């Protein structure tokens, strides 16, 4: 894990630079189907508008990111709606992705530790969903290692998810 000192965690402030937006979008698109498609930069800007926190890990470039949302945003996501309909405050992991040449360096753990710290400071739960069909075993194991617990399941036409909270 000595490589971790090559990385810097940064909570971005709005407005987010065009270069950062482009890098986040590129990483997202390279990680489909583990994360959903963002059709264009306009949609990415919308997502970021709804976010309470956008965190990136940098090396010489953006190496990974996470988009986090609080409750009661006007986000058109059935997965987000699952948690929003419960009426409890939360921090929702909309998506996390690591650039291919930076995976297996501990960046996901670094980002999640910061996410859980933010949620603890806010006094809210952290929630997310993970694909069970197609099955995303690495993500399921990762979330389990952080102590996430299953709170629901949902089948869609083209995939299925498990809902998790911490």
């Amino acid at each position: 894990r000595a490589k971790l000192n090559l990385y810097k965690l940064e909570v971005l402030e709005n407005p987010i630079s065009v270069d950062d937006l482009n890098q986040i979008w590129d990483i997202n698109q390279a990680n489909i189907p583990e994360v959903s498609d963002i059709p264009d930069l306009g949609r990415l800007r919308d997502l970021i508008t709804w976010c309470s926190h956008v965190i990136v890990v940098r090396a010489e470039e953006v190496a990974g990111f996470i988009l986090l949302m609080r409750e009661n945003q006007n986000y058109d996501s059935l997965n987000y709606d699952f948690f929003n309909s419960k009426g409890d405050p939360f921090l929702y992991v909309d998506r996390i992705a690591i650039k291919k040449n930076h995976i297996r360096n501990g960046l996901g753990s670094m980002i999640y530790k910061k996410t859980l710290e933010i949620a603890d400071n806010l006094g809210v739960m952290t929630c997310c969903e993970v694909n069970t069909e197609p099955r995303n075993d690495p993500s399921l194991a990762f979330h389990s290692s952080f102590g996430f617990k299953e709170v629901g399941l949902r089948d869609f036409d083209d995939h299925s998810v498990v809902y998790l909270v911490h």
Side-chain angles (χ1 to χ4, degrees):
R1 296 267 184 235
K3 289 183 86 173
L4 276 182
N5 61 7
L6 301 174
Y7 297 101
K8 182 178 102 183
L9 197 68
E10 184 179 342
V11 179
L12 298 183
E13 299 291 329
N14 275 316
I16 295 173
S17 76
V18 173
D19 185 51
D20 285 347
L21 284 173
N22 283 320
Q23 290 185 67
I24 290 168
W25 187 79
D26 287 344
I27 294 167
N28 188 89
Q29 298 309 96
N31 278 277
I32 296 168
E34 289 82 10
V35 295
S36 61
D37 177 42
I38 300 175
D40 54 47
L41 287 176
R43 176 62 176 181
L44 177 57
R45 280 192 191 93
D46 289 344
L47 287 173
I48 287 172
T49 299
W50 298 319
C51 284
S52 59
H53 300 81
V54 176
I55 303 170
V56 297
V57 177
R58 290 189 199 276
E60 65 286 351
E61 61 192 352
V62 173
F65 73 91
I66 192 168
L67 301 184
L68 303 170
M69 291 182 197
R70 291 295 310 270
E71 65 279 354
N72 300 321
Q73 296 302 306
N74 192 27
Y75 182 27
D76 54 347
S77 161
L78 294 174
N79 292 321
Y80 175 82
D81 288 346
F82 173 86
F83 296 106
N84 208 36
S85 69
K86 305 290 185 206
D88 296 318
F90 61 83
L91 190 62
Y92 174 70
V93 176
D94 179 62
R95 64 193 66 230
I96 178 172
I98 306 296
K99 196 167 186 178
K100 298 291 186 207
N101 59 325
H102 293 281
I103 60 172
R104 304 284 175 249
N105 286 341
L107 302 188
S109 293
M110 178 190 286
I111 291 170
Y112 256 72
K113 285 176 187 166
K114 181 64 174 177
T115 297
L116 295 175
E117 175 188 310
I118 290 168
D120 285 347
N121 289 339
L122 293 169
V124 301
M125 66 180 168
T126 302
C127 55
C128 64
E129 77 281 341
V130 175
N131 282 357
T132 53
E133 186 59 44
R135 192 163 179 84
N136 189 341
D137 283 319
S139 184
L140 291 166
F142 175 84
H143 286 88
S144 176
S145 76
F146 272 90
F148 279 78
K149 303 291 183 219
E150 179 181 320
V151 294
L153 299 165
R154 183 155 189 177
D155 294 321
F156 295 93
D157 290 341
D158 60 345
H159 71 289
S160 298
V161 299
V162 59
Y163 296 112
L164 304 170
V165 298
H166 183 277

